[in-house]
Amino acid sequence: MSIAAAVVCIALLIASLFLIVFSLPGTWVMVGITGLWAAFVGGSDFTTRFFLFLIGLAVVGEVAEFLAGHLGAKKFGGSNKGSLAGMIGSIVGAIVCAPLFFGLGALLGALGGGFIACWATEKFQGKSGKDALHAAFGATLGRFGGFVIKLGIGIAILSLSIPAVWAGA
């Protein structure tokens, strides 16, 4: 394959990393792009072990993102319903706010949406304002921690995929 095709593939991998900011499955898109490159171009770097490792990283990223938000809410006194509402609110907030601030509104929307949804759910269940705020803060803190972990895993997938793609160019 040509160097130009490898550059396009690498650009797509980098763009996929930004999907994580929008609470979208950027790590899985990166694994898919790398898999497509391997299927059409090939190369000795694309072994079964390599892809199992990339898939394992993507799974760890998803689990860490999910658990961080849930455990953050629980540690700060949130309920399971508040935690679930926070996760749903994060997704909705990311989608609604994605057009703002050149796309960075998605991160703010995810954090704000998770906070508001968790707070409202905890209040609806009869918690005091202070307790609901505490749980919502925990959910937001956990959500941000999960985002950071998943972004780091996305960077790891990117750093493994780029040399493999470039070697096949």
Side-chain angles (χ1 to χ4, degrees):
M1 208 36 117
S2 72
I3 291 176
V7 168
V8 169
C9 182
I10 291 168
L12 289 172
L13 287 168
I14 292 168
S16 299
L17 188 63
F18 289 99
L19 292 175
I20 295 169
V21 175
F22 298 105
S23 295
L24 295 171
T27 54
W28 291 108
V29 173
M30 294 165 77
V31 170
I33 290 169
T34 304
L36 288 171
W37 180 268
F40 289 107
V41 177
S44 61
D45 292 346
F46 298 113
T47 64
T48 301
R49 178 183 283 170
F50 176 80
F51 279 106
L52 288 176
F53 189 68
L54 291 185
I55 290 167
L57 284 173
V59 168
V60 168
E62 296 297 330
V63 170
E65 184 181 36
F66 172 78
L67 285 179
H70 178 70
L71 294 175
K74 295 297 278 182
K75 183 169 176 69
F76 284 75
S79 65
N80 287 335
K81 288 180 183 177
S83 176
L84 178 62
M87 285 184 264
I88 294 168
S90 289
I91 294 168
V92 171
I95 292 168
V96 169
C97 295
L100 304 175
F101 306 115
F102 305 103
L104 292 178
L107 176 59
L108 298 174
L111 295 175
F115 183 91
I116 292 167
C118 182
W119 175 81
T121 301
E122 298 296 345
K123 279 294 289 175
F124 184 73
Q125 293 184 105
K127 287 197 176 175
S128 70
K130 182 179 178 182
D131 288 342
L133 281 173
H134 200 235
F137 175 75
T140 303
L141 191 62
R143 175 77 175 121
F144 183 74
F147 162 76
V148 169
I149 291 168
K150 190 172 178 182
L151 185 62
I153 288 173
I155 291 169
I157 291 172
L158 182 68
S159 68
L160 293 169
S161 296
I162 287 175
V165 166
W166 192 254

